[in-house]
Amino acid sequence: MERRRRAELLQFYGDGTKEETPYDINSKHFNCDMYVQKTIKESSLKQLLEHETDLVSEIQSLDSDCQTLVYDHYDKFIAAADIVRKMKEGSVNMEAQITRLQENMSRITASSTSITSALQERRGHLSRLLGVHGTLKKLEFLFHLPQKIDECIAEKNFSEGVRSYVETAEVLHRYRHMPSFDAIHNDCEAAVGRLNAALKEQLALKEGSARHLTECVDLLLQLGEPASGLCDDFLSHARTKLEDDLATLTRLAEAAAEAEQEGGPHQEAGEAGAEEAAKEVPQEEQSGSGGGNGVPVKAPPMDILEFVDVCHETFVGNLWLVISSYKEMFLRSPDEAGRSSSVALEKLRAFVTGLVDQYVAVVGVRVAAEPDTAHYAPLTTALDKFHRRLHAITQLLLNTNFGDTALALVIEAGQARCNSSLTALKVGLATNLGDVRHALAAPRHLTQDGTESTHRQLNEHLTRLVASTAASIKERVTALQAFTQPKHTFAVKAEFRRRFCRELVREGVVVAFFLHLTDMMVQFCHKKDKDPVLLLLLSRMCLDLHTSTVHYLLSHCDEQLQLEDKTGLTPLHSITDGMKDAGQRLLNHYVHTQGAAISQMLRRSVELKDWLGCGEPRSVRRVMRTVLEETSTIDTQVGALYEEGSHRDRSSDSSRRTYHSVSASRGAGGRSAWSSYTPSQLDNSLVANLNKLWSERIEIFAPVEFTRLSILTGIVKISLKTLLESVRLRTFSRFGLQQVQVDAHYLRTYLWSYVADEHVLNVLLDEVVTSASVRSIEPELMEQRVVEFICEQS
């Protein structure tokens, strides 16, 4: 399709290279006879008829176009002929009018020449008379000048009086040697003195605006008053007005601070209002408004954006006008140059610097009173306006650094918000931990499957605790990003980004909170009254923070704050290592706490039982079943938060293990190896020492791993070590030793699934039985099948 369209376009427009042939009907070399012969030869009858029809149609179309073209040109030709005829008719009258105009101009020229010749002598006389008239008018103005100056003073139209004197001062000084002019000059000087005094009185008015003050000084300069004295007067009177503005702003700032201290920012109508707003209300309305008791109601404090706008409209605007007027009057006039100009400039700098310092302090009070609502857009917008306007004053008055002063206040405000953010994160963490503690202390309504319910509860607490901590950090970082918006002028400064983004937000909020969290976790290890489940939950929280959360949050913070250079920042591994260490301490403390609780039960059960007077064992002591129940509960809690861990394969004969150290080979009477030895053959203490020498050394309080089996193994080791030490302090009868044997076999049968290495369990239980046999007055063990039967029945 595309190729066919291209061929048709080429056929219609031509490609610019086709040569003209006699067969081309549109060519100037067209030969009708050759074309007819070729067409008849190459075309069929049907094609010839169709070609004839096309040619007839084209001929008719061309004929119609030619006729239309002729008709169009004929109409234009008729119109052109009419226009030419009208022009010929009008040109006859025009020639007569032009002839008459030429005649009139000739007569006017002749009359003008005659009049000029007649008035030539009077022109000079009239010019002299006009000059004399102007001089008399000036003399009249000079005679009435003192009176006019006094009238201007009375009407307080000082600018008109000064203008009148300045225009005539040169003439009076030039002709004062003449007696008449000397009297006028003296009268004018006296009137100017009165004008000068009136201007100084206006200058001393406190209620005058900065513009009025500038006009008075400018008029005094035009009257020739010394600039050195006027600049001091100008700055003195300007200081009074600007200090009044600062006092008003101070009252507004203090009102906001009082409102924040008394009722906070969330009240619809604060109890403390701005004094200036109260002044605008009539006294009758102040005393009559409020309630029926006539107590006045103060307006709510002014928000930060409105406060900054008021600062710009009053103090900053007036200061800008004072600086501009001072420079225009004292630093650009021709007579102010050299040393006097530099002195005047230094006076202006000292004047502006002192007032700007006071202004920055007032704005600092208002910024400090701004409540922390975690929505900093209004505050940052106000700080940006404040910074822009002080920076503009710096550009107006060179060799000053008010932009850095404003930037210091912005950084101070950012630091205050970072400190409040860190405090809010700490409070939020403490609140979340308190909620978790209350939830753990609340009565639990377990389902039939208590394990599943415990898993769900602890996982929910862990997820909520980690998620709320991460969300709080992200929320605070996002809120503090309001200080780094590119639309703010201070946000693009390298010094601000270095101080705020690196030192205040990342290090002062995020990293400081992680360090605080680590310290808080470590403090839990030193408190003995904490819920063990809380210790377990916090250890898992530290592990999750160490594994992924801290890395994610720090990366999110660096990305949001656009921190590419990490030089000098706290490295990630130092925080994660601290989190892992805190989690390890919490887990160790949890193991020690739970081990101590079970150990307490075992120790008291050994101390309170009469081992010398007990009967033959018929069942496992109840405390052993309680130990298994507590261990199962602990296993459920730990399994809800930690993975299983690696478990050594259990030996095939572990369930029927015999005490190799205390019962080697039994005789027909069923007595143990200990009963076959006499004291002369082998001392019991020697046998115990030999067993210790060959037994594997087990570290009881070794750090545990973050797995379920490792945690339970640590608790079991502490419990059995306490049982061992308690047994070593008692003396047993034959039945007492057998009771220890039954209890040990019961624990061996059911505790093996809770420990990572069954060998550790066997060694400790062997030592318990061995120690009991050593402390027994009749060391004879029970048959193994009897022990197994008693344990199965229990």
Side-chain angles (χ1 to χ4, degrees):
M1 178 64 71
E2 183 68 24
R3 184 175 299 175
R4 184 174 61 83
R5 290 178 178 177
R6 186 178 300 173
E8 292 177 354
L9 291 173
L10 288 175
Q11 182 179 0
F12 182 79
Y13 291 104
D15 56 357
T17 59
K18 184 178 179 180
E19 296 181 358
E20 296 180 350
T21 63
Y23 302 105
D24 185 5
I25 197 171
N26 296 320
S27 173
K28 63 181 180 179
H29 303 290
F30 175 70
N31 190 323
C32 60
D33 296 332
M34 296 176 62
Y35 180 77
V36 170
Q37 293 177 4
K38 180 181 177 182
T39 304
I40 294 173
K41 184 185 297 184
E42 295 178 354
S43 304
S44 61
L45 178 60
K46 183 178 179 181
Q47 292 176 345
L48 289 174
L49 293 175
E50 292 177 352
H51 190 55
E52 179 188 9
T53 304
D54 294 339
L55 289 176
V56 171
S57 176
E58 290 180 2
I59 292 171
Q60 291 176 353
S61 176
L62 289 174
D63 185 53
S64 176
D65 293 341
C66 290
Q67 291 179 2
T68 302
L69 183 62
V70 170
Y71 292 154
D72 291 343
H73 283 74
Y74 182 77
D75 292 340
K76 294 178 181 178
F77 175 75
I78 296 300
D82 292 339
I83 292 172
V84 171
R85 185 179 66 256
K86 291 178 180 179
M87 290 178 64
K88 287 183 178 180
E89 293 175 355
S91 62
V92 177
N93 298 329
M94 188 179 298
E95 289 179 358
Q97 292 176 359
I98 291 174
T99 302
R100 289 196 299 271
L101 179 61
Q102 289 178 350
E103 294 176 354
N104 292 333
M105 290 296 296
S106 298
R107 287 195 297 270
I108 290 171
T109 302
S111 300
S112 175
T113 303
S114 61
I115 292 171
T116 301
S117 301
L119 297 178
Q120 184 69 32
E121 297 179 357
R122 297 183 180 181
R123 183 182 296 115
H125 182 63
L126 290 175
S127 299
R128 289 191 297 272
L129 291 177
L130 290 174
V132 172
H133 181 267
T135 304
L136 292 175
K137 293 291 291 183
K138 292 179 181 179
L139 289 174
E140 182 183 5
F141 180 80
L142 290 177
F143 280 115
H144 293 89
L145 181 58
Q147 181 181 359
K148 184 174 182 178
I149 293 175
D150 291 335
E151 292 176 355
C152 291
I153 294 174
E155 297 173 359
K156 294 186 178 181
N157 189 5
F158 304 107
S159 58
E160 179 64 24
V162 173
R163 185 185 62 81
S164 301
Y165 173 75
V166 170
E167 291 178 353
T168 59
E170 183 180 357
V171 176
L172 290 174
H173 284 287
R174 183 184 302 174
Y175 297 102
R176 63 176 301 179
H177 60 279
M178 301 174 63
S180 58
F181 278 93
D182 184 58
I184 297 175
H185 179 269
N186 293 334
D187 293 340
C188 289
E189 290 296 331
V192 168
R194 293 189 295 271
L195 179 60
N196 197 329
L199 286 173
K200 289 184 177 181
E201 291 178 0
Q202 293 294 320
L203 191 65
L205 293 177
K206 293 184 178 181
E207 61 272 10
S209 62
R211 187 177 302 277
H212 178 70
L213 178 66
T214 303
E215 292 176 355
C216 292
V217 173
D218 185 47
L219 294 176
L220 287 172
L221 287 174
Q222 293 182 32
L223 293 178
E225 193 71 17
S228 58
L230 279 179
C231 67
D232 293 333
D233 294 338
F234 179 81
L235 294 179
S236 175
H237 295 299
R239 181 185 298 276
T240 303
K241 177 60 179 176
L242 293 173
E243 286 180 349
D244 290 341
D245 294 339
L246 286 175
T248 302
L249 298 178
T250 302
R251 289 192 292 270
L252 292 174
E254 291 176 350
E258 292 175 1
E260 172 66 16
Q261 293 176 359
E262 293 178 5
H266 302 293
Q267 297 182 355
E268 294 182 358
E271 294 181 357
E275 184 174 338
E276 283 300 308
K279 286 183 178 180
E280 296 178 0
V281 181
Q283 187 66 28
E284 296 80 11
E285 296 182 9
Q286 292 187 25
S287 59
S289 60
N293 54 2
V295 178
V297 177
K298 295 183 180 180
M302 185 181 296
D303 64 75
I304 186 69
L305 282 172
E306 186 179 357
F307 177 80
V308 173
D309 290 337
V310 169
C311 292
H312 177 66
E313 294 171 359
T314 56
F315 175 80
V316 178
N318 291 333
L319 182 62
W320 180 280
L321 182 59
V322 167
I323 296 173
S324 302
S325 302
Y326 187 93
K327 292 176 64 178
E328 185 70 26
M329 291 184 297
F330 302 110
L331 300 180
R332 293 185 180 179
S333 56
D335 57 337
E336 291 291 334
R339 182 175 178 275
S340 60
S341 179
S342 62
V343 171
L345 182 59
E346 289 301 324
K347 290 181 180 180
L348 179 62
R349 286 175 183 165
F351 169 80
V352 175
T353 301
L355 290 173
V356 167
D357 291 340
Q358 298 180 39
Y359 169 64
V360 172
V362 172
V363 176
V365 172
R366 180 60 185 88
V367 171
E370 185 69 11
D372 185 8
T373 58
H375 181 62
Y376 302 137
L379 175 62
T380 54
T381 303
L383 290 174
D384 180 55
K385 291 182 178 180
F386 166 75
H387 179 268
R388 286 174 183 267
R389 289 158 185 173
L390 276 192
H391 185 67
I393 293 179
T394 300
Q395 295 178 341
L396 180 64
L397 187 59
L398 301 179
N399 297 327
T400 54
N401 207 12
F402 302 133
D404 291 346
T405 305
L407 185 63
L409 178 60
V410 174
I411 294 176
E412 182 180 351
Q415 184 175 6
R417 294 308 175 272
C418 290
N419 293 338
S420 63
S421 298
L422 178 59
T423 303
L425 290 175
K426 293 179 180 179
V427 172
L429 176 63
T431 303
N432 292 333
L433 290 178
D435 294 340
V436 171
R437 291 182 61 186
H438 288 104
L440 294 176
R444 300 186 180 92
H445 302 284
L446 299 180
T447 59
Q448 293 181 354
D449 189 359
T451 302
E452 181 181 355
S453 178
T454 303
H455 275 70
R456 184 175 65 254
Q457 290 176 0
L458 292 180
N459 280 323
E460 287 178 356
H461 292 325
L462 176 64
T463 302
R464 188 181 302 112
L465 195 57
V466 175
S468 62
T469 301
S472 299
I473 294 176
K474 292 177 63 177
E475 179 183 356
R476 286 291 169 175
V477 172
T478 303
L480 291 171
Q481 271 189 282
F483 283 87
T484 62
Q485 295 298 319
K487 64 181 180 180
H488 300 327
T489 54
F490 59 80
V492 298
K493 293 185 177 293
E495 180 184 357
F496 174 80
R497 297 196 65 84
R498 178 183 61 81
R499 285 290 310 280
F500 183 79
C501 298
R502 295 169 63 90
E503 299 178 12
L504 297 181
V505 179
R506 189 187 190 274
E507 298 296 316
V509 177
V510 181
V511 175
F513 175 71
F514 285 141
L515 297 179
H516 167 76
L517 190 149
T518 304
D519 294 339
M520 178 180 286
M521 297 303 173
V522 173
Q523 290 175 5
F524 277 93
C525 301
H526 304 293
K527 299 178 181 180
K528 299 181 180 179
D529 58 343
K530 294 300 179 183
D531 185 2
V533 182
L534 179 62
L535 298 176
L536 182 67
L537 188 66
L538 295 181
S539 68
R540 180 63 194 188
M541 177 184 177
C542 289
L543 181 62
D544 289 346
L545 292 173
H546 158 75
T547 304
S548 60
T549 308
V550 172
H551 180 270
Y552 165 72
L553 291 175
L554 274 183
S555 300
H556 174 77
C557 176
D558 295 342
E559 180 181 355
Q560 295 298 317
L561 300 176
Q562 300 179 359
L563 296 179
E564 299 179 356
D565 183 14
K566 305 297 179 63
T567 306
L569 299 178
T570 303
L572 173 65
H573 66 84
S574 65
I575 302 175
T576 54
D577 292 347
M579 288 290 180
K580 186 176 181 180
D581 180 66
Q584 185 69 58
R585 291 188 182 187
L586 286 168
L587 198 58
N588 293 340
H589 188 52
Y590 171 78
V591 171
H592 297 165
T593 302
Q594 296 288 52
I598 298 177
S599 299
Q600 183 72 9
M601 292 189 296
L602 293 173
R603 184 179 63 81
R604 291 182 62 83
S605 68
V606 174
E607 291 176 351
L608 298 177
K609 187 173 180 59
D610 184 9
W611 296 102
L612 292 176
C614 63
E616 184 178 2
R618 291 291 183 266
S619 64
V620 178
R621 289 190 300 153
R622 180 173 179 80
V623 68
M624 297 303 166
R625 293 194 292 271
T626 305
V627 168
L628 284 179
E629 292 174 358
E630 291 295 327
T631 305
S632 176
T633 302
I634 294 173
D635 177 70
T636 301
Q637 296 171 354
V638 176
L641 298 175
Y642 286 98
E643 302 294 334
E644 181 72 16
S646 60
H647 198 304
R648 288 191 180 182
D649 295 335
R650 191 184 185 203
S651 59
S652 60
D653 60 342
S654 59
S655 62
R656 297 180 176 274
R657 175 181 173 84
T658 57
Y659 303 105
H660 300 293
S661 59
V662 297
S663 57
S665 61
R666 297 180 180 275
R671 294 175 58 87
S672 67
W674 295 108
S675 61
S676 63
Y677 292 110
T678 61
S680 61
Q681 292 174 326
L682 188 63
D683 186 67
N684 288 344
S685 62
L686 179 60
V687 173
N689 291 331
L690 289 174
N691 288 331
K692 290 181 180 180
L693 182 64
W694 292 103
S695 63
E696 181 181 357
R697 178 177 177 83
I698 299 175
E699 188 176 357
I700 303 300
F701 295 98
V704 298
E705 299 177 357
F706 294 95
T707 60
R708 185 186 68 85
L709 288 175
S710 178
I711 296 170
L712 268 295
T713 301
I715 296 174
V716 169
K717 287 193 299 182
I718 294 174
S719 304
L720 295 182
K721 183 64 176 178
T722 303
L723 177 62
L724 174 62
E725 298 301 327
S726 300
V727 167
R728 286 176 177 174
L729 298 177
R730 311 299 295 177
T731 302
F732 300 88
S733 64
R734 179 166 63 91
F735 293 141
L737 172 61
Q738 292 175 0
Q739 183 66 56
V740 173
Q741 180 187 3
V742 171
D743 293 344
H745 183 78
Y746 180 80
L747 293 177
R748 188 193 314 275
T749 303
Y750 294 102
L751 283 181
W752 70 269
S753 62
Y754 297 116
V755 296
D757 188 0
E758 187 183 2
H759 177 68
V760 175
L761 177 66
N762 293 330
V763 170
L764 291 173
L765 290 175
D766 285 350
E767 288 187 6
V768 170
V769 178
T770 302
S771 298
S773 64
V774 171
R775 297 290 298 173
S776 177
I777 59 177
E778 191 178 356
E780 181 180 353
L781 296 178
M782 186 179 289
E783 289 289 341
Q784 181 65 24
R785 58 184 180 84
V786 178
V787 173
E788 293 175 356
F789 177 77
I790 293 174
C791 292
E792 290 175 359
Q793 293 298 321
S794 300

